[in-house]
């Protein structure tokens, strides 16, 4: 369905001087084939706004106009929702009155889809002109949340596989009765990828079933299929991730590798949990591209980036990355490993689990049941002529002692800890039982981090706050002149005013003075005070810098730094 200059609406808009006929026709000749409908073309090429187009289209054709932002989608007759026709023609049936069907259109002069709807429904169509952008939002909302619809989008759901291309396994082949379940789950997975979600939650309750996506660190409900389907949904997810369908009493962990197309595949880490109302399934999307972002994309300030790069360039020592789950520690570590990943460097990692495959790096999945623990993997690494060792997490004294020994004997060691700040990381190691001398002599750099939601550039608005409040929030007096802060608004391009995330970092080198405080038995407060003297920005200060740069809001800084 090509867009043509012969369109009745196009001609009328040109006759009225609302678009330049010559330039628009030339542009249409070059780019018209890229668009399905004339409204899509006019808006994408910025020839008219959605509002102006709706106003002029209604006036030129004498049809009623409707603002969909005030329309109750629950009144739409569900039996008339033919997704294939709706997405093809970008029109939507709104209501039925006797033998009449009110249809929302952005181009009331295109009668071919109207005739198609009349033929399929047996009803007479009454046209209502709406804004194209509002129509798109409503269509996406209906079919993104509706269980009955299987979607399609940019990828072919029928080609989605949870196995290697050449591998055949009858265990993952669904019965015909399960085809709606398969289509629905495939659609949820693809929607999550499209929306940039990091996790999917499939949750059964006594009288409802809820599906939520974690987008930019915040959970959002996206669908609520019937509770009667709970067991079939969890069973399908377990089949895809090759888990034991019959076992519902204990948690299970698995993985799914989904082939989206010939060249594109996505990995999911799957975890099941038996609850009182059924099995909850959580899936984490493992994005291998995030490990290849490069340090410049992660949000380090220039001084912080230099400290990290200098520590990576050292032949030995320990770099620790700390923060809560979901704070981006893995990406920071993998970014460092990619910088070190050269032909002349032997790198081994012990992880639980291995989230992202990195070619050229020897990655080991720990398996405590088989006796392959972090300590045993580290001991084996030291017999494998390593240059760089990464241990997914230091959880106990034995792991800490082996890692520190490696850092003291000519190896660069990277690892993580779950603490709230860089100074607390040092005292955590001491509390584990690591001697103060070993901590002071082996740890070279600590990175504490958080992920804050990034403000949407399309809709963020300036936020005016009195100087007294800014000072109370932690800004210094010298920062106030010219300071501009922004707040979220919300638009079609974002989620509640935010789109994407930005890292907030506290990068603290273990200086001679900090090492001395460790040796003298100083507290995390003593270490933090010395770091401040050495111009190390803590998480709060780094967050305020991000807010002052317009990257995030002060409210978001308060949320992630608990300031």
């Amino acid at each position: 369905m090509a867009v043509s200059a012969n369109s009745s609406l196009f001609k009328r808009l040109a006759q009225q001087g609302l678009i330049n006929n010559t330039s628009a026709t030339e542009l249409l000749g070059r780019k018209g084939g890229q668009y399905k409908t004339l409204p899509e073309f006019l808006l994408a090429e910025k020839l008219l706004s959605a509002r102006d187009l709706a106003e002029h289209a209604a006036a030129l054709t004498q049809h009623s106009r409707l603002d969909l932002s005030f329309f109750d989608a629950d009144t739409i007759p569900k039996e008339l929702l033919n997704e294939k026709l709706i997405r093809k023609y970008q029109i939507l049936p709104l209501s039925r009155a006797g033998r009449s069907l009110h249809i929302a259109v952005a181009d009331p002069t295109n009668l071919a889809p109207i005739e198609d709807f009349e033929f399929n429904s047996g009803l007479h169509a009454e046209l209502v002109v709406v804004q194209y952008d509002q129509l798109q939002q409503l269509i996406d909302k209906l079919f993104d949340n509706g269980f009955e619809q299987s979607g399609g989008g940019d990828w072919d759901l029928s080609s989605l596989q949870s196995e290697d291309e050449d591998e055949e396994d009858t265990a993952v082949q669904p019965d015909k009765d399960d085809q709606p379940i398969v289509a629905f789950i495939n659609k949820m997975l693809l929607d999550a990828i499209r929306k940039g979600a990091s996790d999917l939650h499939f949750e059964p309750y006594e009288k409802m079933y809820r599906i939520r996506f974690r987008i930019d660190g915040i959970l959002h409900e996206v669908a609520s299929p019937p509770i009667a389907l709970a067991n079939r949904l969890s069973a399908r997810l377990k089949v895809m991730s090759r888990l034991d369908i019959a076992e519902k009493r204990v948690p299970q962990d698995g993985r799914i590798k989904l082939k989206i197309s010939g060249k594109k595949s996505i990995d999911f880490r799957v975890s099941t949990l038996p609850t009182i109302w059924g099995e909850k399934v959580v899936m984490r999307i493992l994005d291998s591209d995030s490990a290849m972002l490069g340090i410049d994309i992660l949000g380090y300030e220039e001084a912080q980036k230099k400290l990290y790069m200098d520590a990576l360039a050292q032949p030995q020592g320990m770099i620790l990355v700390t923060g809560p789950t979901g704070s981006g520690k893995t990406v920071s570590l993998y970014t460092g490993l990619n910088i070190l990943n050269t032909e002349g460097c032997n790198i081994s990692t012990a992880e639980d689990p291995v989230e992202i495959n990195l070619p050229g790096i020897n990655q080991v999945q720990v398996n405590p049941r088989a006796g392959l623990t972090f300590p045993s993997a580290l001991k084996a690494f030291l017999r494998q002529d390593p240059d760089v060792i990464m241990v997914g997490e230091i959880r106990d004294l034995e792991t800490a002692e082996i890692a520190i020994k490696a850092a003291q004997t000519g190896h660069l060691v990277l690892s993580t800890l779950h603490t709230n700040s860089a100074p607390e990381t040092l005292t955590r190691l001491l509390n584990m039982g690591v001697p103060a001398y070993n901590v002071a002599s082996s740890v070279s750099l600590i990175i504490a981090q958080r992920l804050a939601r990034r403000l949407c550039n399309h809709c963020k608005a300036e936020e005016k706050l009195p100087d007294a409040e800014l000072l109370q929030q932690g800004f210094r007096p010298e920062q106030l002149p010219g300071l501009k802060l922004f707040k979220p608004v919300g638009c079609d391009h974002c989620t509640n005013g935010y789109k994407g995330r930005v890292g907030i970092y506290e990068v603290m080198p273990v200086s001679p003075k900090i090492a001395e405080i460790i040796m003298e038995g100083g507290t995390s407060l003593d270490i933090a005070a010395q770091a401040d003297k050495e111009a190390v920005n803590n998480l709060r200060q780094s967050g305020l810098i991000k807010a002052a740069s317009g990257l995030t809001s002060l409210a978001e800084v308060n949320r992630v730094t608990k300031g």
Side-chain angles (χ1 to χ4, degrees):
M1 184 171 56
V3 182
S4 169
N6 293 322
S7 160
S8 177
L9 180 60
F10 185 89
K11 290 179 178 178
R12 294 192 192 192
L13 292 171
Q15 289 169 0
Q16 296 291 320
L18 300 170
I19 58 175
N20 184 295
N21 188 33
T22 303
S23 60
T25 302
E26 189 272 334
L27 187 62
L28 193 58
R30 287 191 292 110
K31 293 189 173 183
Q34 301 176 17
Y35 303 103
K36 292 181 180 180
T37 65
L38 178 64
E40 182 184 7
F41 164 75
L42 294 172
L43 269 60
E45 299 300 331
K46 296 181 170 54
L47 299 178
L48 275 177
S49 70
R51 181 170 183 169
D52 287 344
L53 175 60
E55 287 180 353
H56 294 310
L60 291 171
T61 60
Q62 300 298 305
H63 283 101
S64 301
R65 182 167 168 256
L66 176 67
D67 186 348
L68 286 180
S69 61
F70 297 102
F71 182 76
D72 184 2
D74 291 335
T75 64
I76 293 176
K78 299 297 188 292
E79 70 276 8
L80 295 175
L81 290 183
N82 184 323
E83 182 178 7
K84 184 176 180 181
L85 290 179
I86 289 169
R87 289 201 183 273
K88 178 181 179 182
Y89 294 126
Q90 302 300 302
I91 64 178
L92 183 67
L94 296 179
S95 62
R96 177 178 177 174
R99 302 298 301 167
S100 295
L101 178 65
H102 290 89
I103 298 181
V105 299
D107 179 1
T109 67
N110 185 10
L111 299 180
I114 308 304
E115 294 169 356
D116 209 341
F117 260 91
E118 287 182 327
F119 177 80
N120 280 275
S121 66
L123 302 173
H124 172 69
E126 298 284 348
L127 303 188
V128 180
V129 179
V130 298
Q131 286 186 202
Y132 182 78
D133 55 347
Q134 292 181 350
L135 179 61
Q136 285 291 300
Q137 284 182 355
L138 184 53
I139 290 173
D140 288 341
K141 179 181 177 181
L142 286 169
F143 295 114
D144 281 350
N145 294 339
F147 175 78
E148 295 82 3
Q149 312 304 329
S150 61
D154 299 325
W155 295 306
D156 179 9
L157 289 175
S158 64
S159 68
L160 199 64
Q161 302 175 19
S162 59
E163 54 200 346
D164 293 335
E165 186 175 11
D166 299 327
E167 183 180 357
E168 293 187 8
D169 189 337
T170 55
V172 297
Q173 303 305 321
D175 296 332
K176 289 184 179 180
D177 291 343
D178 284 333
Q179 288 296 341
I181 299 291
V182 173
F184 175 67
I185 287 179
N186 286 351
K187 184 179 189 308
M188 288 293 100
L189 301 186
L190 293 182
D191 283 351
I193 296 167
R194 290 191 191 102
K195 293 178 179 180
S198 60
D199 302 85
L200 300 83
H201 292 238
F202 294 79
E203 303 169 309
Y205 295 94
E206 182 179 11
K207 296 180 180 179
M208 61 167 283
Y209 193 96
R210 179 173 66 178
I211 298 174
R212 294 187 290 175
F213 293 169
R214 188 176 294 279
I215 301 172
D216 296 336
I218 304 296
L219 283 169
H220 301 271
E221 183 173 341
V222 297
S224 183
I227 184 61
L229 299 174
N231 289 336
R232 293 172 65 189
L233 290 169
S234 61
R236 175 59 187 165
L237 291 169
K238 289 166 73 175
V239 165
M240 293 176 73
S241 46
R242 302 178 185 276
L243 300 177
D244 185 352
I245 304 177
E247 181 56 79
K248 299 180 180 180
R249 299 165 299 173
V250 297
Q252 297 187 66
D253 295 301
R255 290 175 74 99
I256 299 175
K257 187 179 184 67
L258 291 181
K259 285 183 63 64
I260 303 299
S261 64
K263 296 182 179 179
K264 179 70 173 177
S265 63
I266 300 288
D267 288 327
F268 293 81
R269 190 176 77 207
V270 183
S271 171
T272 71
L273 180 71
T275 72
I276 59 173
W277 304 117
E279 286 185 286
K280 174 176 178 175
V281 182
V282 175
M283 308 175 72
R284 167 154 290 189
I285 299 177
L286 305 177
D287 183 7
S288 58
D289 292 339
S290 65
M292 309 297 176
L293 288 176
I295 194 168
D296 292 323
I297 306 297
L298 300 185
Y300 286 92
E301 304 297 329
E302 281 301 315
Q304 295 176 333
K305 182 176 79 170
K306 185 178 186 305
L307 288 171
Y308 191 17
M309 295 296 289
D310 288 348
L312 290 171
Q314 298 301 313
Q316 66 182 46
M318 179 180 287
I319 300 172
L320 294 173
V321 182
T322 181
T325 301
S327 60
K329 299 188 299 296
T330 299
V331 173
S332 283
L333 284 177
Y334 281 2
T335 299
L337 290 178
N338 271 316
I339 293 170
L340 298 169
N341 189 13
T342 62
E343 181 183 352
C345 187
N346 178 24
I347 304 174
S348 296
T349 74
E351 305 172 62
D352 183 20
V354 174
E355 294 194 0
I356 298 172
N357 295 324
L358 298 174
I361 293 176
N362 309 292
Q363 295 174 273
V364 173
Q365 167 82 52
V366 301
N367 185 354
R369 290 183 179 179
L372 182 54
T373 61
F374 280 124
S376 63
L378 285 175
K379 290 175 182 176
F381 289 168
L382 293 174
R383 297 191 293 269
Q384 291 272 314
D385 185 29
D387 297 300
V388 178
I389 292 172
M390 193 271 273
V391 53
E393 182 183 352
I394 294 178
R395 299 175 178 173
D396 51 50
L397 177 60
E398 185 181 8
T399 306
E401 287 180 334
I402 300 171
I404 284 174
K405 177 184 176 183
Q408 292 173 330
T409 55
H411 308 96
L412 182 62
V413 178
L414 290 77
S415 190
T416 71
L417 273 174
H418 285 282
T419 58
N420 291 323
S421 68
E424 289 177 49
T425 303
L426 295 170
T427 54
R428 170 74 184 279
L429 289 172
L430 295 173
N431 291 337
M432 277 186 180
V434 180
Y437 172 79
N438 285 340
V439 174
S441 62
S442 60
V443 179
S444 55
L445 185 74
I446 303 171
I447 301 172
Q449 66 181 77
R450 301 289 188 275
L451 287 178
R453 289 179 292 172
R454 186 187 292 265
L455 282 168
C456 173
N457 287 325
H458 291 91
C459 66
K460 66 182 181 182
E462 189 172 350
E463 181 178 30
K464 298 286 188 181
L465 294 173
D467 288 354
E469 184 174 346
L470 294 174
L471 292 171
Q472 187 178 9
Q473 290 286 346
F475 286 102
R476 299 186 177 98
E478 61 269 22
Q479 292 177 289
L480 299 187
L483 177 65
K484 275 190 177 183
L485 297 178
F486 295 86
K487 61 183 178 181
V489 176
C491 68
D492 299 343
H493 301 276
C494 64
T495 303
N496 300 328
Y498 297 98
K499 186 174 180 63
R501 289 192 282 180
V502 63
I504 295 176
Y505 303 94
E506 176 184 19
V507 182
M508 187 186 81
V510 178
S511 65
K513 186 62 180 176
I514 290 177
E516 185 179 325
I517 293 173
I518 295 170
M519 294 294 294
E520 293 173 351
T523 66
S524 59
L525 293 176
D526 299 326
I527 297 170
Q530 179 60 32
D532 186 59
K533 291 179 183 177
E534 297 176 7
V536 173
N537 285 327
N538 61 27
L539 284 167
R540 178 71 182 174
Q541 292 163 342
S542 295
L544 294 177
I545 291 172
K546 290 292 190 294
S549 302
L551 293 174
T552 190
S553 67
L554 184 57
E556 185 67 2
V557 172
N558 288 334
R559 183 181 73 85
V560 299
T561 64
K562 296 180 175 61

